[in-house]
Amino acid sequence: MTTKRFSIGYALLLKKQKSFIQDSLVNLAKERGIDLIKIDTDKPLVDQGPFDCVLHKLYGEEWRQELREYLVYNPSAIVIDFPDAIERLHNRISMLDVVAEIEAAKDDETASFGIPKQVVIYEPEKLKDAKALGEGLKFPVIAKPLVADGSAKSHKMLLIFSSEGFEKLKSPTVVQEFVNHGGVIFKVYVVGKYVKCVKRKSLPDIPDEKLNSLHGSLSFSQVSNMTSDERNDDKYYKMLDLEDAAMPPMNLITNIACGLRKAMKLHLFNFDVIRDTRVGNRYLVIDINYFPGYAKMPGYESVMTDFFWDVLNKIEARSFNCEKELMKLVDNNGGCGEDTGSHNVS
């Protein structure tokens, strides 16, 4: 008896391909009867495959249209994830608004969660006005580009201590309160039902007594990624001096992850959480990213392969309690039809 094999076509930028599509992942998936096949983005998607699943991290209306057309001819195919759902994460305001849609679980009574105070500034002339910060916001603040599309430009951020620090900014900019959090950030990786929380070094706390002596702004970049060998070694955490940092309650993290999955209708994302040291048991979600660098996560190959298996065998589809979304597809005659959502694993 021949066991059915599944095919997953992946469409990823070169940098993402190199980090994610590693031989260890390809070989493990193949052992489970899943073939990972590169999609040629120079050719129409509809002329390739057919694939049981399309895994992608590409943007733009042309790619959206290719996906729509592909699903017209392959209605049973699964797309991870739909561009309309991913789009929400390209805006740092709508990105975090989704946190408000999550209901706190009854067993989360010992801890609470939310987002930092923030405001978006559209007019350049207001960037130099401290009053533009809005009610409840005070220095220091973090300034982030409104657009979060994964580009180098979208990652340029400033820690601002006074109104002079606004001079380097360009609008539209999101200004977010800086919260002392013990110099530790918790990165939560979500792969379908799988949730993994790890701790990383972050910006140090700023004592109140030092604020008066700080002016202007300070640029900061993301902590450099380390090699997989360093990352998988226990010494990695000791080197970062994080062993004393307590992890957040896992039931709280799982609740947030599950809530975000349902609210955003996404399967592959991570979110960053900090602990507000002023409160101690309050956690703030400060960032959400689609399809992050999973290769940084020890054992990512087995996690991803299990996820693929569940999706392809429709196990993952049943893990959601929410109703399936309808995806409108534009046919060649210019009319609109509605797909029943059989390809939507959410």
Side-chain angles (χ1 to χ4, degrees):
M1 181 177 177
T2 303
T3 303
K4 172 178 170 55
R5 296 197 67 83
F6 296 101
S7 62
I8 295 180
Y10 62 87
L12 307 169
L13 294 178
L14 183 59
K15 184 177 180 181
K16 175 63 72 172
Q17 283 183 42
K18 289 182 176 180
S19 67
F20 183 76
I21 306 295
Q22 298 185 15
D23 290 343
S24 53
L25 173 64
V26 173
N27 294 334
L28 185 59
K30 189 173 293 185
E31 291 176 8
R32 295 283 296 274
I34 303 170
D35 297 316
L36 296 175
I37 303 170
K38 181 180 178 180
I39 291 173
D40 188 343
T41 53
D42 292 328
K43 298 178 181 178
L45 178 60
V46 73
D47 294 339
Q48 302 179 62
F51 306 110
D52 296 293
C53 174
V54 175
L55 177 71
H56 75 101
K57 192 179 181 182
L58 297 180
Y59 307 119
E61 186 53 41
E62 184 177 344
W63 175 245
R64 286 179 185 232
Q65 183 57 37
E66 287 206 48
L67 285 174
R68 294 189 188 105
E69 185 178 0
Y70 184 82
L71 290 173
V72 168
Y73 292 99
N74 301 275
S76 63
I78 299 166
V79 172
I80 305 174
D81 279 300
F82 283 138
D84 287 348
I86 300 171
E87 187 70 25
R88 186 172 191 170
L89 298 186
H90 289 173
N91 179 297
R92 282 198 164 89
I93 294 296
S94 63
M95 172 197 297
L96 295 187
D97 281 348
V98 72
V99 178
E101 300 175 26
I102 305 174
E103 295 183 7
K106 292 181 180 179
D107 55 359
D108 288 343
E109 294 178 355
T110 58
S112 62
F113 66 89
I115 64 173
K117 296 172 185 176
Q118 59 181 17
V119 64
V120 59
I121 300 177
Y122 292 99
E123 297 84 359
E125 62 275 10
K126 288 187 177 181
L127 293 175
K128 299 179 183 179
D129 183 4
K131 294 180 181 179
L133 284 177
E135 186 177 354
L137 272 174
K138 61 180 182 179
F139 294 113
V141 295
I142 296 176
K144 310 177 179 183
L146 177 62
V147 176
D149 57 4
S151 64
K153 182 180 179 181
S154 70
H155 287 301
K156 290 185 177 180
M157 305 179 193
L158 290 175
L159 181 58
I160 298 178
F161 304 104
S162 62
S163 56
E164 293 88 348
F166 287 141
E167 296 177 359
K168 297 180 180 180
L169 297 183
K170 296 180 180 179
S171 63
T173 296
V174 173
V175 176
Q176 185 181 86
E177 70 171 333
F178 175 82
V179 177
N180 282 338
H181 52 283
V184 179
I185 189 169
F186 303 98
K187 303 190 80 68
V188 183
Y189 293 91
V190 181
V191 182
K193 294 174 289 183
Y194 179 86
V195 179
K196 176 69 173 179
C197 182
V198 300
K199 46 189 174 182
R200 297 284 186 264
K201 260 195 172 182
S202 182
L203 295 178
D205 288 350
I206 303 175
D208 291 339
E209 58 270 20
K210 286 189 176 182
L211 287 179
N212 293 333
S213 61
L214 297 172
H215 301 281
S217 63
L218 176 68
S219 64
F220 63 94
S221 58
Q222 296 174 310
V223 177
S224 339
N225 292 330
M226 308 188 78
T227 66
S228 58
D229 287 341
E230 290 173 314
R231 194 178 300 116
N232 293 333
D233 194 297
D234 289 339
K235 294 179 181 178
Y236 173 59
Y237 291 99
K238 293 179 181 178
M239 183 172 58
L240 290 183
D241 196 28
L242 294 176
E243 64 271 13
D244 294 332
M247 296 292 284
M250 199 56 201
N251 62 319
L252 177 77
I253 293 298
T254 303
N255 178 48
I256 297 174
C258 183
L260 289 175
R261 287 178 64 217
K262 292 178 181 178
M264 300 189 302
K265 298 177 178 62
L266 294 175
H267 300 79
L268 302 177
F269 62 92
N270 79 337
F271 59 97
D272 294 342
V273 178
I274 59 174
R275 180 189 291 112
D276 187 343
T277 55
R278 297 170 300 185
V279 182
N281 62 345
R282 180 162 178 78
Y283 295 84
L284 303 174
V285 179
I286 60 172
D287 198 17
I288 308 174
N289 300 288
Y290 182 67
F291 205 150
Y294 285 115
K296 300 174 186 176
M297 188 174 67
Y300 92 101
E301 299 92 342
S302 59
V303 172
M304 295 305 307
T305 300
D306 287 344
F307 168 69
F308 293 152
W309 177 261
D310 287 349
V311 166
L312 292 165
N313 287 279
K314 304 300 188 291
I315 298 174
E316 171 67 18
R318 290 195 295 271
S319 71
F320 280 86
N321 294 321
C322 59
E323 295 182 2
K324 290 182 178 180
E325 289 294 294
L326 298 180
M327 181 179 181
K328 292 184 177 180
L329 305 174
V330 180
D331 60 32
N332 293 332
N333 295 322
C336 280
E338 284 191 343
D339 188 276
T340 59
S342 60
H343 53 269
N344 185 349
V345 294
S346 62

